[in-house]
Amino acid sequence: MKKKSKRTMAKFFAFLLFLSLAFLLLEEGKAVEDRVSKPGVYKGYSQPVYEEWVRISQYVPVRDGTKLAVDLFRPRQEGKPVSDPLPLIWTHNRYHRARFTEEGKLVTILDMNGWLQTILKHGYIVASVDVRGGGASYGTRAGPFTPAEALDAYDITEWFAAQPWCDGNIGMYGGSYLGITQYTAAGTAPPHLKAIIPLVSMFDLYSFV
């Protein structure tokens, strides 16, 4: 009688286990179906982590001593920048990383590219750097897309990666001139540059010239 009872209990628990697994598989399948990633629509993959951020402006010297103007936007909690190391995306900006309107209002890269605010909320640091000879950066411009500008991108990328608030995963973003600077940066092979997102930017400079 005891053996029969044990077999019955074993079958019962096996049935419960089967139902549990089936439920989990259904829920997982539902979660996959709820994931959408296409132009203008993104849901089901991750949730915003932060609601606030802080802008920090500073100069960063590159290998020849030229100081480049940098805007950093870091997620903030309780009034302070998040100390946990986070990934970072940045742009090498020919068109000024920030400016003032005639009314005296400050316009930053976040105002010009609203999607960057979403990136910040999902746990990234965002940066914009004036190229040498442009914006608030020191140095002179010898021409478009120079070797010096490419090496500046290498130095800035590695400087970001070495900071305690960065986890070493660096990407770049931007369009037009800001897209081509990504190609030239990638051409110098910075060890911590993991991805580039060039938009509306020509690839064949020879044909362009």
Side-chain angles (χ1 to χ4, degrees), residues 74 80 133 194 205:
R74 293 173 56 189
K80 297 180 180 180
K194 304 299 178 63
L205 295 180

Side-chain angles (χ1 to χ4, degrees), residues 10 17 27 32 36 38 60 63 66 124 128 134 146 150 163 182:
L17 178 61
E27 287 297 308
V32 170
V36 179
K38 59 184 180 181
V60 174
R63 66 185 65 192
T66 301
Y124 283 77
S128 182
T146 61
Q163 303 313 302
Q182 296 177 59

Side-chain angles (χ1 to χ4, degrees), residues 50 52 54 74-77 80-86 125 165:
Y50 307 104
E52 301 178 347
V54 60
R74 293 173 56 189
R76 178 176 66 184
Q77 283 184 325
K80 297 180 180 180
V82 174
S83 59
D84 294 337
L86 298 173
I125 298 168
W165 35 258

Side-chain angles (χ1 to χ4, degrees), residues 101-117:
T101 65
E102 293 181 357
E103 295 76 24
K105 179 184 176 183
L106 177 67
V107 178
T108 71
I109 196 74
L110 297 190
D111 300 304
M112 293 180 268
N113 298 273
W115 62 273
L116 291 172
Q117 298 182 26

Side-chain angles (χ1 to χ4, degrees), residues 10-128:
K11 289 180 180 179
F12 176 71
F13 283 117
F15 179 68
L16 285 180
L17 178 61
F18 171 78
L19 286 179
S20 299
L21 289 172
F23 177 76
L24 288 173
L25 289 172
L26 285 172
E27 287 297 308
E28 184 178 348
K30 183 180 178 182
V32 170
E33 290 177 1
D34 289 341
R35 292 176 183 172
V36 179
S37 180
K38 59 184 180 181
V41 182
Y42 178 84
K43 64 176 184 177
Y45 287 90
S46 61
Q47 298 298 320
V49 182
Y50 307 104
E51 291 298 327
E52 301 178 347
W53 51 83
V54 60
R55 174 179 179 252
I56 302 166
S57 294
Q58 66 181 92
Y59 280 104
V60 174
V62 292
R63 66 185 65 192
D64 67 355
T66 301
K67 296 178 181 179
L68 303 187
V70 178
D71 264 2
L72 282 167
F73 298 89
R74 293 173 56 189
R76 178 176 66 184
Q77 283 184 325
E78 299 179 355
K80 297 180 180 180
V82 174
S83 59
D84 294 337
L86 298 173
L88 179 148
I89 62 171
W90 73 285
T91 188
H92 209 183
N93 205 327
R94 168 55 63 188
Y95 309 124
H96 299 188
R97 76 197 195 291
R99 61 180 174 82
F100 283 101
T101 65
E102 293 181 357
E103 295 76 24
K105 179 184 176 183
L106 177 67
V107 178
T108 71
I109 196 74
L110 297 190
D111 300 304
M112 293 180 268
N113 298 273
W115 62 273
L116 291 172
Q117 298 182 26
T118 302
I119 295 293
L120 275 163
K121 291 179 180 180
H122 280 76
Y124 283 77
I125 298 168
V126 173
S128 182

